Amino acid sequence: MAGCAPSSETPLNLKENMRRLFLAALAATSFVTGVHAQSNASGPLVTPSGNLQFVRVDRDFVGMLDKEIFDRFSASALTHFDDVGSENDSITRTLVQTDSGPVLYDFRHQPPLVQRSGKRMTVKRVFWQDDEVVMQSSEGWFRLKRGVLTKLQSSTTTYR
């Protein structure tokens, strides 16, 4: 057959190319879904606990649910990372950047659970797990789980 050359790819090369294609697709998907993860929107934002609103009061912000204050924090600007649930695209959790460090609000609880990290850092990226949040800062990777902040250690383990 003219124009058809036999494939020179070995099963190993084909597997590696498929792996690269999968990782590229995963990275592209992560980028697209991550675009809306960081926000400076003050609300109202729909949560399972009610409508969330951030309001500037003097030098602080207050977090309000259905016009009732549930938290106050200092921050020069409002920045939060949202975990959007499948039910009505409501925000189930949000990690707010404050002057004293990240604060996690979990709206799956009534009243909402408030967990302070207790460590000043600037968060760059956030990954949501079942009962924890993993965040990247300029100081490395951290996990906030049940109110405990843990610095994650690098590993030479490769997961496939």
Side-chain angles (χ1 to χ4, degrees):
M1 293 191 331
C4 289
S7 176
S8 63
E9 292 204 36
T10 65
L12 183 60
N13 287 344
L14 184 59
K15 184 178 178 181
E16 182 63 26
N17 286 339
M18 291 300 290
R19 183 174 147 313
R20 287 182 184 158
L21 182 61
F22 173 74
L23 290 175
L26 182 64
T29 303
S30 297
F31 176 74
V32 170
T33 58
V35 169
H36 299 290
Q38 182 177 343
S39 175
N40 62 358
S42 60
L45 307 167
V46 177
T47 77
S49 297
N51 288 326
L52 171 65
Q53 181 85 39
F54 293 107
V55 178
R56 171 75 81 179
V57 176
D58 297 324
R59 294 183 180 182
D60 293 340
F61 283 93
V62 293
M64 300 172 62
L65 275 174
D66 294 332
K67 300 183 181 181
E68 295 290 325
I69 295 174
F70 73 94
D71 194 33
R72 176 183 290 266
F73 58 90
S74 294
S76 56
L78 178 63
T79 303
H80 52 94
F81 299 83
D82 303 329
D83 181 20
V84 179
S86 59
E87 185 179 316
N88 300 331
D89 291 332
S90 65
I91 295 173
T92 56
R93 296 177 287 182
T94 189
L95 186 80
V96 179
Q97 182 72 52
T98 73
D99 289 346
S100 60
V103 175
L104 175 65
Y105 299 139
D106 191 339
F107 300 108
R108 299 173 298 178
H109 300 273
Q110 191 70 305
L113 185 62
V114 178
Q115 297 179 19
R116 300 188 188 290
S117 67
K119 179 172 177 54
R120 291 185 72 182
M121 70 174 87
T122 301
V123 176
K124 296 178 180 179
R125 293 193 294 175
V126 170
F127 297 92
W128 300 99
Q129 305 294 323
D130 291 332
D131 62 343
E132 66 184 12
V133 58
V134 175
M135 60 194 97
Q136 181 185 24
S137 77
S138 58
E139 298 175 37
W141 290 88
F142 293 84
R143 173 180 66 201
L144 183 60
K145 183 175 183 177
R146 296 187 183 107
V148 177
L149 185 70
T150 307
K151 181 162 178 40
L152 300 176
Q153 302 299 315
S154 62
S155 166
T156 58
T157 304
T158 303
Y159 297 97
R160 296 180 191 250

